[in-house]
Amino acid sequence: MAARPYWKGYLKLSLVSCPVALYPASTQAEKTHFHQINTRSGNRLRQQMVDEETGRVVERDQKGRGYELSKGHYVPIDEDELKAVEIESTHTIDIDAFVPKQEIDERYIEKPYYIVPNDESGEDAFGVVRDAMQDKGKVALARIVMAHREHVIAIQPFGKGLLGTTLRYPYELRDSTAYFRGIRKKRMPKDMISLASHILDSKAGHFDPSRFKDQYENALKALVRRKAKGKKIEPPKEEEEPSNVINLMEALRRSVQGGKARGGVKRATRAKGAHRSPRKRKAG
């Protein structure tokens, strides 16, 4: 069965418009999901909304939205009032500008959607917008309202359709300065950079998502299968982390040679002869 569109409306470029539909390009359906259960009866648990003050269960038809003006004081906002906030982009993807793709900061990238024509009558207009962007090598920046929120969406040609990716607003990003402030700015020795570059070259490849393997997800499914067959699940054995700390240059050289440093090295430092007592960690 084909997925239902997440959003339907019009893609608009100046006086040209066409009906389109958006479909989520990502899914969590294949991931392992757990339900909360009663460990005594094995029955599934259901959550209920409870009034914070009275402790009584609140029925579905009594639930609503409220904005907290001050501690414990809310102004209620209902669905009809939210509709009063409608702006032009509520039912329209209105293209504002075209920019080079490489100018989009990757931190702003949020969620991808497939954009397709929603009516045969609009396929020509859709195709014109898609092919024009393809020829220019540009990405369109537009506005769209989904789930009562206006989003900026980057649109680019993708096969026979379009790929729309919602972008974060600047206020949703954290400034990196506070996180990078403590990193000392210094130029590393050329011989070390040369060895590291050789390692990078030896691992050069191409982006191939078919090689991505979710090892945790696979192990989780295997655990569920074992438990369903009645097998006992043993906790992993603890292992000692090797205490050897070696010279960074030696670690680089041995990496280039494709071998392991003496003593099963886990980390490296420039300080020679440094040593720390072993600590235990759980096996991954």
Side-chain angles (χ1 to χ4, degrees):
M1 180 182 295
R4 295 178 60 185
Y6 183 74
W7 183 95
K8 291 191 293 185
Y10 290 85
L11 175 64
K12 183 179 179 183
L13 173 61
S14 189
L15 298 179
V16 178
S17 64
C18 60
V20 294
L22 268 69
Y23 296 85
S26 60
T27 177
Q28 298 289 316
E30 297 301 317
K31 282 190 173 292
T32 300
H33 298 281
F34 294 106
H35 295 293
Q36 291 186 316
I37 63 170
N38 183 332
T39 56
R40 290 187 176 182
S41 67
N43 298 328
R44 183 174 174 179
L45 300 179
R46 296 289 182 182
Q47 292 183 325
Q48 292 180 313
M49 301 301 291
V50 177
D51 188 299
E52 192 177 69
E53 294 296 325
T54 66
R56 295 175 181 172
V57 174
V58 178
E59 300 300 329
R60 183 183 296 271
D61 60 354
Q62 294 178 312
K63 289 178 8 181
R65 292 183 176 89
Y67 180 84
E68 190 171 27
L69 293 175
S70 59
K71 187 66 175 178
H73 296 281
Y74 300 87
V75 53
I77 305 292
D78 61 34
E79 287 293 327
D80 290 335
E81 290 169 328
L82 282 175
K83 291 177 181 178
V85 188
E86 285 190 358
I87 51 182
E88 184 180 0
S89 55
T90 301
H91 303 292
T92 305
I93 302 175
D94 202 349
I95 297 175
D96 294 322
F98 292 91
V99 301
K101 183 178 180 181
Q102 61 270 23
E103 288 187 3
I104 299 178
D105 187 329
E106 293 182 355
R107 294 175 301 168
Y108 287 84
I109 295 174
E110 191 173 34
K111 189 173 181 180
Y113 294 87
Y114 296 131
I115 304 177
V116 302
N118 197 37
D119 191 292
E120 289 185 6
S121 63
E123 287 186 0
D124 288 347
F126 182 90
V128 166
V129 174
R130 177 199 60 210
D131 294 349
M133 281 196 287
Q134 185 76 57
D135 290 345
K136 290 292 186 180
K138 294 293 183 72
V139 174
L141 295 183
R143 289 165 288 115
I144 183 174
V145 172
M146 296 187 292
H148 299 299
R149 292 284 182 177
E150 184 177 48
H151 301 267
V152 175
I153 186 168
I155 303 171
Q156 60 184 309
F158 192 83
K160 294 189 293 183
L162 294 171
L163 179 68
T165 305
T166 52
L167 303 178
R168 297 182 177 90
Y169 286 101
Y171 70 80
E172 295 179 287
L173 290 180
R174 292 175 174 172
D175 188 352
S176 62
T177 304
Y179 301 94
F180 298 158
R181 185 179 292 120
I183 301 176
R184 291 178 294 171
K185 187 177 181 179
K186 59 179 181 179
R187 181 64 183 173
M188 301 305 296
K190 290 184 178 180
D191 51 352
M192 288 188 178
I193 300 297
S194 178
L195 287 170
S197 296
H198 183 85
I199 297 171
L200 266 62
D201 290 339
S202 69
K203 292 182 176 291
H206 296 281
F207 181 73
D208 181 8
S210 66
R211 299 181 63 183
F212 297 172
K213 305 298 180 186
D214 190 339
Q215 297 185 40
Y216 180 81
E217 178 68 17
N218 293 337
L220 192 60
K221 287 180 177 177
L223 181 147
V224 172
R225 289 194 296 268
R226 285 176 56 84
K227 189 67 182 290
K229 292 179 180 178
K231 295 182 179 180
K232 187 177 181 181
I233 306 300
E234 297 288 349
K237 294 180 179 179
E238 291 188 348
E239 64 176 20
E240 288 191 359
E241 181 179 328
S243 60
N244 302 66
V245 181
I246 66 165
N247 177 268
L248 175 56
M249 178 61 83
E250 182 182 352
L252 288 168
R253 285 175 179 151
R254 288 180 177 273
S255 295
V256 169
Q257 295 167 1
K260 294 182 179 179
R262 292 186 296 272
V265 176
K266 287 293 183 182
R267 60 186 61 175
T269 180
R270 294 190 65 190
K272 292 184 178 180
H275 184 82
R276 63 190 178 95
S277 57
R279 63 184 179 85
K280 291 187 176 183
R281 67 177 179 84
K282 290 185 177 181

